[in-house]
């Protein structure tokens, strides 16, 4: 109940702030639960993904630091978020989303790079898809990466791609993981190109390498 009400409120707020979001290929979303996987470009792209992926409800990972505030923790838990320690993820990083996906009514929003400041796709998405038996739907966000730019309105586009399936018998060895990440990245690149051939994401606050 909380999630449905919250998503309705978020949809309304996003419309007030940014106008109508352009959503493409919603018909490609499969029946049942699935994994929405996309490049992490802003702190608000999960909100746009959750709204665009309706009517399915979604769970999502959130860094454990956000759960230290009791009010924010209550909101996150009731919005189907679960805590992840990025330094020491632990088995729950895989077990929790797999369990949610098998519930038949809760999808997963995941960012395969794990961070807005990384472009390296990790193997977690493939493992979750393999263990849950659920498809991965590539999705991209194109729009403002600075909050102030959202208020210019009607400048956010979301596009879904063709589902990607991972067979349960497929081994998670280096060769298969590399092939999967290449396929997923190619899907992101195609979606970006289909939306705007001139699009290029630039991290507004790239992390500088730490000096030894």
């Amino acid at each position: 109940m909380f999630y449905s009400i919250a998503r309705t409120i978020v949809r309304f707020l996003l419309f007030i702030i940014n106008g109508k979001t352009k959503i493409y290929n919603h018909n490609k979303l499969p029946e049942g639960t699935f994994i929405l996987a996309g490049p992490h470009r802003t702190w608000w792209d999960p909100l746009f993904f959750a709204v665009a992926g309706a009517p399915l409800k979604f769970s999502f990972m959130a860094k454990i630091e956000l759960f230290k505030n009791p009010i924010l923790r209550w909101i996150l838990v009731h919005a189907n978020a679960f805590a992840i320690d990025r330094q020491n993820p632990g088995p729950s990083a895989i077990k929790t989303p797999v369990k949610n996906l098998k519930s038949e009514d809760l999808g997963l929003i995941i960012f395969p790079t794990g961070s807005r400041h990384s472009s390296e796709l990790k193997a977690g998405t493939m493992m979750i898809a393999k263990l849950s038996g659920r498809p991965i739907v590539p999705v991209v966000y194109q729009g403002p990466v600075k909050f102030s730019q959202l208020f210019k309105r009607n400048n956010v586009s979301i596009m879904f791609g063709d589902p990607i399936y991972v067979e349960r018998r497929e081994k998670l060895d280096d060769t298969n993981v590399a092939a999967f990440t290449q396929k997923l990245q190619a899907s992101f690149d195609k979606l970006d190109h289909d939306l705007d051939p001139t699009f290029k994401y630039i991290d507004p606050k790239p992390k500088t390498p730490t000096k030894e």
Side-chain angles (χ1 to χ4, degrees), residues 6-172:
R7 181 159 59 183
T8 299
I9 294 173
V10 168
R11 180 185 288 112
F12 176 73
L13 291 176
L14 292 179
F15 177 77
I16 294 297
I17 292 172
N18 186 254
K20 187 176 181 180
T21 302
K22 304 176 185 69
I23 302 173
Y24 300 91
N25 297 341
H26 189 274
N27 61 312
K28 291 191 175 184
L29 299 181
E31 296 291 331
T33 61
F34 53 85
I35 302 164
L36 268 186
H40 202 0
R41 292 169 176 165
T42 75
W43 61 260
W44 55 84
D45 47 19
L47 301 178
F48 279 96
F49 289 169
V51 169
L56 183 65
K57 299 177 182 179
F58 294 93
S59 65
F60 61 97
M61 301 178 183
K63 59 183 180 180
I64 196 169
E65 292 82 0
L66 297 176
F67 290 78
K68 293 180 179 179
N69 181 297
I71 297 176
L72 184 55
R73 180 174 64 245
W74 188 91
I75 293 173
L76 288 170
V77 169
H78 285 80
N80 303 324
F82 54 96
I84 294 295
D85 185 340
R86 290 180 176 177
Q87 301 303 318
N88 300 286
S92 63
I94 299 297
K95 291 182 179 179
T96 300
V98 168
K99 179 181 177 181
N100 289 340
L101 285 163
K102 288 183 175 181
S103 70
E104 299 294 340
D105 63 357
L106 199 60
L108 173 69
I109 292 174
I110 190 170
F111 299 97
T113 61
S115 168
R116 286 181 288 137
H117 308 293
S118 173
S119 59
E120 180 185 354
L121 301 184
K122 298 177 175 62
T125 304
M126 182 181 183
M127 184 179 295
I128 293 170
K130 169 184 167 68
L131 296 176
S132 67
R134 300 300 192 262
I136 301 162
V137 178
V139 58
V140 296
Y141 163 100
Q142 284 189 15
V145 293
K146 294 182 179 180
F147 187 69
S148 60
Q149 296 173 342
L150 276 175
F151 292 85
K152 293 182 179 180
R153 299 177 61 81
N154 297 317
N155 55 359
V156 171
S157 297
I158 304 293
M159 179 175 279
F160 301 107
D162 294 316
I164 298 173
Y165 293 83
V166 179
E167 297 293 335
R168 290 181 183 270
R169 63 177 179 271
E170 192 167 348
K171 295 181 179 179
L172 296 174

